[in-house]
């Protein structure tokens, strides 16, 4: 039989078509995104950049299925996910997508290892398997000796690396990060960005991150520039 996959052009990992987002604040409309169209190929590492208030976080939330655009569509792997039920979208987020936030968003009562395996536990599976995977992922982000620590016993940079390990636990196709280094000093920020770059280069995970810091954006292979909620330039290739 012909191997069909070889003849097929792989669909973009993410395709946003004509995406707009308007927030309603009482009687005031805030137009946060206007008609943004963007493709991210599988295996890319893309940085969304622009000034504060330019719509970076809003765009990331649309691309990552945390929010729904006011108009326009989002496709993942060639499938339009805009119209899916909230339940289907939640299942997709848990199984296929990983998230890293500026504030780490770890659960304070849980150990590093428990924080990492929580999304795997939610997906089901054997405890022994996801515990082993969490330990391996923590090892991979250089925190093999911090498994039993709680978030408050870890530095900001260490907490963010726990968050990266958590984002990877269900083997996502895409990891999204919103200003992952904004709360960190430049040394820890660099370690976090190097960790993100490794998961892109070594594991083949597609990475889309937001940053306004040139120290971070140089880790991307491509920059997407936003201004007042619109893409202002063709994506820029970055020398790396
Ligand atoms: N939940 C919200 N309700 C109303 N306005 C919002 C909301 N979130 C963001 N905005 C507005 O949308 C614009 C873009 O915000 P945001 O995407 O957070 O920008 P950035 O991440 O680039 O700083 C800003 O004018 C902001 O005030
Ligand atoms: Mg933001």
């Amino acid at each position: 039989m012909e191997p069909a996959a070889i003849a097929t052009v792989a669909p973009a990992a993410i395709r946003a078509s004509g995406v707009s987002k308007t927030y309603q604040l009482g009687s005031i409309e805030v137009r946060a995104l206007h008609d943004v169209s963007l493709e991210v190929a599988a295996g890319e590492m893309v940085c969304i950049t622009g000034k504060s208030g330019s719509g970076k976080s809003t765009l990331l939330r649309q691309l990552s299925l945390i929010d729904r655009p006011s108009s326009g569509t989002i496709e993942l792997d060639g499938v339009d996910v805009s119209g899916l039920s909230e339940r289907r979208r939640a299942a997709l987020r848990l199984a296929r997508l990983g998230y890293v936030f500026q504030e780490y968003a770890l659960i304070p009562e849980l150990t590093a290892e428990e924080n990492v395996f929580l999304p795997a536990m939610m997906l089901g599976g054997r405890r022994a398997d996801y515990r082993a995977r969490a330990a391996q992922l923590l090892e991979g982000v250089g925190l093999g000796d911090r498994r039993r620590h709680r978030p408050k016993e870890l530095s900001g940079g260490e907490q963010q690396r726990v968050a990266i390990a958590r984002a990877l636990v269900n083997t996502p196709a895409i990891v999204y990060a919103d200003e992952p280094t904004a709360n960190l000093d430049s040394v820890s920020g660099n370690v976090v960005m190097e960790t993100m770059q490794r998961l892109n280069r070594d594991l083949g995970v597609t990475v889309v991150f937001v940053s306004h810091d040139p120290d971070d954006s140089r880790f991307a292979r491509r920059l997407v520039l936003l201004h007042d909620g619109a893409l202002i330039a063709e994506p820029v290739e970055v020398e790396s």
Side-chain angles (χ1 to χ4, degrees):
M1 216 171 76
E2 273 300 294
I6 292 173
T8 313
V9 177
I14 310 169
R15 178 182 288 120
S17 309
V19 166
S20 297
K21 181 73 188 182
T22 303
Y23 295 108
Q24 194 75 40
L25 280 178
S27 59
I28 301 167
E29 282 197 341
V30 181
R31 294 188 57 188
L33 284 180
H34 320 281
D35 196 20
V36 172
S37 294
L38 170 70
E39 275 188 26
V40 178
E44 270 199 290
M45 179 152 176
V46 172
C47 174
I48 300 170
T49 188
K51 290 184 183 152
S52 176
S54 59
K56 303 182 296 296
S57 295
T58 302
L59 178 57
L60 196 79
R61 284 200 297 271
Q62 315 309 310
L63 300 178
S64 64
L65 312 198
I66 289 176
D67 196 9
R68 288 180 198 263
S70 308
S71 59
T73 58
I74 305 289
E75 287 169 48
L76 293 188
D77 289 334
V79 177
D80 186 352
V81 291
S82 324
L84 294 183
S85 69
E86 200 41 53
R87 215 178 124 180
R88 297 272 311 274
R89 286 163 60 92
L92 209 56
R93 288 196 297 265
L94 183 61
R96 300 279 295 155
L97 311 177
Y99 299 89
V100 178
F101 302 99
Q102 179 177 336
E103 311 283 353
Y104 326 129
L106 300 176
I107 297 178
E109 293 80 12
L110 301 182
T111 64
E113 185 177 84
E114 290 163 346
N115 268 286
V116 171
F117 71 56
L118 191 61
M121 200 170 99
M122 290 165 69
L123 203 57
R126 290 178 50 222
R127 187 174 174 86
D129 291 346
Y130 56 67
R131 281 198 64 175
R133 173 140 179 87
Q136 180 195 11
L137 285 166
L138 283 170
E139 196 73 53
V141 297
L143 295 173
D145 56 351
R146 299 283 197 279
R147 280 160 40 196
R148 301 285 151 73
H149 286 54
R150 286 173 215 282
K152 69 169 187 303
E153 298 156 354
L154 297 168
S155 72
E158 289 169 340
Q159 290 185 60
Q160 195 59 299
R161 282 184 283 145
V162 173
I164 293 172
R166 177 183 57 187
L168 294 173
V169 75
N170 289 339
T171 332
I174 310 169
V175 166
Y176 299 91
D178 194 350
E179 309 263 11
T181 67
N183 289 0
L184 304 177
D185 62 81
S186 62
V187 174
S188 319
N190 246 294
V191 174
V192 161
M193 286 313 303
E194 281 164 8
T195 308
M196 303 272 294
Q197 189 172 53
R198 266 196 291 123
L199 69 94
N200 172 253
R201 288 193 175 162
D202 301 347
L203 308 178
V205 177
T206 306
V207 175
V208 183
F209 71 99
V210 165
S211 180
H212 57 259
D213 185 344
D215 268 359
D216 294 346
S217 53
R218 71 194 163 86
F219 285 91
R221 298 194 203 170
R222 185 150 73 87
L223 290 183
V224 168
L225 232 58
L226 275 178
H227 181 73
D228 287 347
L231 284 184
I232 57 164
E234 281 300 297
V236 185
E237 296 293 333
V238 186
E239 284 295 318
S240 59

